[in-house]
């Protein structure tokens, strides 16, 4: 995934002080069979967990399951640090309640410049809208039903308007539409269209405040 301009993410209204596992670490990328390819992850890009990361130094001891990405594998793995992949839609297998299983890239690290596959240089200063470099661990915030979050313009494949006040998820991005879905998926209600991200006196671009909700499944 190429770096996306004008992305940003902020937790706006949350009960996170009591949700100790709402923020996790992970590496973003994609899988082809058992092979993980790391990739850059833009701020606010929406992801789901794939499988636990191995403990560093013991990677060669891991035997990855072949039936599903979640299959228990032999070897030493981290307890709650994950391979993260793009959220295809607003559904995460087995997670149908307020804890959605959908995460937004939300790194609290400083900006980094990378050289090759093995060197990262920290550049302090800017913190808003930072992407996670490929093959670097970053932070991911689980989206919880009822909470509100701020996203940048780059986080939308179709931006909200006064006529498009609901957002679904498609391939890690938000898609504004006129009506809420009815398939049991996670979606968002637009709470504010005219916000602006700021860093000090700097105007950092458009800000959309969204409330996370889950749709009710309509019987056939």
């Amino acid at each position: 995934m190429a770096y996306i301009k004008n992305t940003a993410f902020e937790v706006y209204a949350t009960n996170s002080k009591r949700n100790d596992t709402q923020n996790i670490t992970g590496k973003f990328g994609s899988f082809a069979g058992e092979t993980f390819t790391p990739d850059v992850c833009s701020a606010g890009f929406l992801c789901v967990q794939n499988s636990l990361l191995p403990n560093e130094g013991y990677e060669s001891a891991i035997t990855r399951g072949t039936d599903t990405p979640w299959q228990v594998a032999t070897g030493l793995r981290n307890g709650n640090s994950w391979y993260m992949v793009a959220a295809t839609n607003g559904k995460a297998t087995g997670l149908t309640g307020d804890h959605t299983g959908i995460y937004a890239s939300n790194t609290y690290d400083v900006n980094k410049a990378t050289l090759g596959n093995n060197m990262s240089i920290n550049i302090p200063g800017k913190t808003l809208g930072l992407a996670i470099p490929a093959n670097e661990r970053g932070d991911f915030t689980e989206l919880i039903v009822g909470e509100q979050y701020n996203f940048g313009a780059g986080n939308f494949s179709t931006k909200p308007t006064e006529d498009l006040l609901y957002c679904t998820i498609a391939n890690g991005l938000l898609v504004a539409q006129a009506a809420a879905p009815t398939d049991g998926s996670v979606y968002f209600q637009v709470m504010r269209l005219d916000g602006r991200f700021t860093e000090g006196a700097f105007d950092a671009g458009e800000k959309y405040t969204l409330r996370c909700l889950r749709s009710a499944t309509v019987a056939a």
Side-chain angles (χ1 to χ4, degrees), residues 137-186:
R137 290 177 187 266
D139 296 308
F140 296 84
T141 297
E142 185 179 17
L143 306 181
I144 294 179
V145 172
E147 293 190 349
Q148 296 181 47
Y149 308 98
N150 294 325
F151 288 90
N155 296 106
F156 297 85
S157 58
T158 301
K159 292 198 300 184
T161 66
E162 291 183 357
D163 297 320
L164 304 174
L165 294 177
Y166 299 93
C167 299
T168 56
I169 299 169
N171 300 317
L173 296 175
L174 295 159
V175 185
Q177 57 188 49
T182 57
D183 59 356
S185 63
V186 172

Side-chain angles (χ1 to χ4, degrees), residues 128 196-205:
L128 179 65
R196 305 293 297 183
F197 282 106
T198 59
E199 281 190 319
F202 174 66
D203 184 340

